[in-house]
Amino acid sequence: MARQLRNGQRAELYVIDVETAEATLRYSSHTLLFEAPNWSPDGSSLLINGDGGLFRLGVDAGELQEIFLGGIAEINNDHVISPDGGMAYVSSEDGHIYAVSLDGGSPGSPRRVTNDNGANFRHYLHGASPNGAMLAYIGLTVDGGRVLTNVFTVPAAGGPDSQLTNDNFPDDGAEFSPDGEWIYFNSERGSSEPGHAQLFRMPAAGGTPQQLTFDERVNWFPHPSPDGNRIAYVSFPQGTVGHPENRDVVVRLLEADGTVRDLAQVFGGQGTMNVPSWSPDGGKIAIVAYPPRRLPNLVPRQGSLADVGPATGSSA
């Protein structure tokens, strides 16, 4: 069942300037718990999921428009847009990935992309290659009570899976670099104890992972900028196991020189920035916060979401 808001809680979509950290509240709802913005390749709209469905929202104006999913099972917050903007690839709660037309008129939509890898195997999508040919996903297997997660790729048109990791380390968030040479992901492989996820990358064809962050916080969902010079990610408090909802988290930028900058502090976590959310020009990102109640007189702080004013679109 899709996540629901708590009593008094809101879902708020913000667009953040990555240079100034200025945040604009674009859309707010106290009835629909929406998640995980994708930015369209033409820069005009955002895709979000909520209540098992998929919705389009104009970046600057307009209300939510539901995308026709053709009767597939509820989707979750793992979805991406094809590089040409014509398709959305979505992860369904039936465990498979589907291709869905964004104009509603594509023959064969929706189309199941993934293979039948057994009743105990589920596919969680996170990235499309820059040429649109491949999808990167996390394969989750339940084996004798153990949950195993590894990095895989599969052709977007359908075809055999390629398994890139094969170990007991929890992995998630597999996403291609803009040049298609690397896959970025988060993993617990840098520590022997749960609750120490850090960011890694590996060659897109497979190879030895390289660790990118080394701090005491718990870092998830690396999203390379369009020029490949920055990585946006969600950082949880030290010791956090998994990527839970309703936590105080920091949205951070890892710069090309290895320095880290806090961009926003929000109450969120799961759903805040699970999938690629950079604007095509690399100047902004979109995130979701889940404040338990509206706080009208916040004191602005550098790198935080505060005093942003009314939403330009909202659901009462």
Side-chain angles (χ1 to χ4, degrees):
M1 178 180 293
R3 287 174 58 199
Q4 302 294 319
L5 292 167
R6 297 175 174 179
N7 289 337
Q9 191 175 34
R10 301 187 71 86
E12 298 183 337
L13 191 154
Y14 290 89
V15 173
I16 306 177
D17 186 298
V18 297
E19 298 299 337
T20 67
E22 179 182 359
T24 301
L25 178 58
R26 169 60 187 93
Y27 195 83
S28 176
S29 176
H30 77 270
T31 58
L32 177 68
L33 191 156
F34 53 80
E35 305 175 288
N38 298 130
W39 210 301
S40 66
D42 67 2
S44 67
S45 62
L46 298 160
L47 285 189
I48 54 176
N49 67 282
D51 201 24
L54 187 67
F55 301 86
R56 179 189 284 113
L57 179 70
V59 170
D60 298 315
E63 295 297 316
L64 295 182
Q65 299 177 338
E66 189 164 5
I67 303 297
F68 178 66
L69 294 180
I72 65 175
E74 288 187 351
I75 68 166
N76 55 43
N77 56 30
D78 297 323
H79 44 78
V80 300
I81 304 176
S82 63
D84 65 6
M87 304 292 291
Y89 296 101
V90 301
S91 294
S92 169
E93 290 299 344
D94 69 5
H96 285 283
I97 296 169
Y98 292 83
V100 177
S101 172
L102 290 177
D103 62 15
S106 175
S109 174
R111 171 180 57 85
R112 200 180 92 177
V113 175
T114 45
N115 301 297
D116 186 355
N117 290 309
N120 294 326
F121 190 98
R122 301 179 67 83
H123 308 74
Y124 292 97
L125 174 68
H126 282 276
S129 64
N131 65 3
M134 302 295 291
L135 302 179
Y137 73 88
I138 296 299
L140 184 151
T141 305
V142 179
D143 180 15
R146 294 188 307 158
V147 177
L148 303 177
T149 53
N150 280 287
V151 178
F152 291 77
T153 59
V154 66
D161 302 281
S162 296
Q163 184 169 354
L164 303 186
T165 64
N166 187 13
D167 51 54
N168 295 328
F169 301 113
D171 301 324
D172 210 335
E175 187 172 322
F176 285 93
S177 61
D179 61 9
E181 296 296 317
W182 300 91
I183 288 179
Y184 289 80
F185 64 106
N186 58 270
S187 178
E188 295 274 2
R189 66 188 59 239
S191 173
S192 60
E193 296 182 8
H196 290 81
Q198 297 293 314
L199 306 187
F200 292 80
R201 72 174 187 176
M202 64 187 302
T208 303
Q210 303 174 5
Q211 189 167 346
L212 303 176
T213 59
F214 299 85
D215 56 82
E216 293 301 315
R217 291 184 63 86
V218 179
N219 301 321
W220 279 72
F221 302 132
H223 306 305
S225 60
D227 63 6
N229 290 329
R230 289 170 163 163
I231 300 171
Y233 63 99
V234 179
S235 183
F236 290 82
Q238 182 177 356
T240 304
V241 177
H243 54 295
E245 61 194 71
N246 296 323
R247 297 290 192 275
D248 288 315
V249 298
V250 182
V251 177
R252 287 183 157 178
L253 291 179
L254 175 62
E255 304 285 358
D257 63 3
T259 59
V260 172
R261 176 162 62 96
D262 290 357
L263 190 63
Q265 301 171 28
V266 300
F267 187 73
Q270 173 74 295
T272 289
M273 196 176 65
N274 295 55
V275 292
S277 58
W278 283 91
S279 63
D281 63 5
K284 298 177 181 179
I285 61 171
I287 68 168
V288 180
Y290 302 98
R293 60 188 177 91
R294 197 77 175 109
L295 303 176
N297 296 312
L298 294 174
V299 177
R301 295 176 295 166
Q302 179 66 27
S304 67
L305 292 176
D307 199 28
V308 296
T312 56
S314 66
S315 173

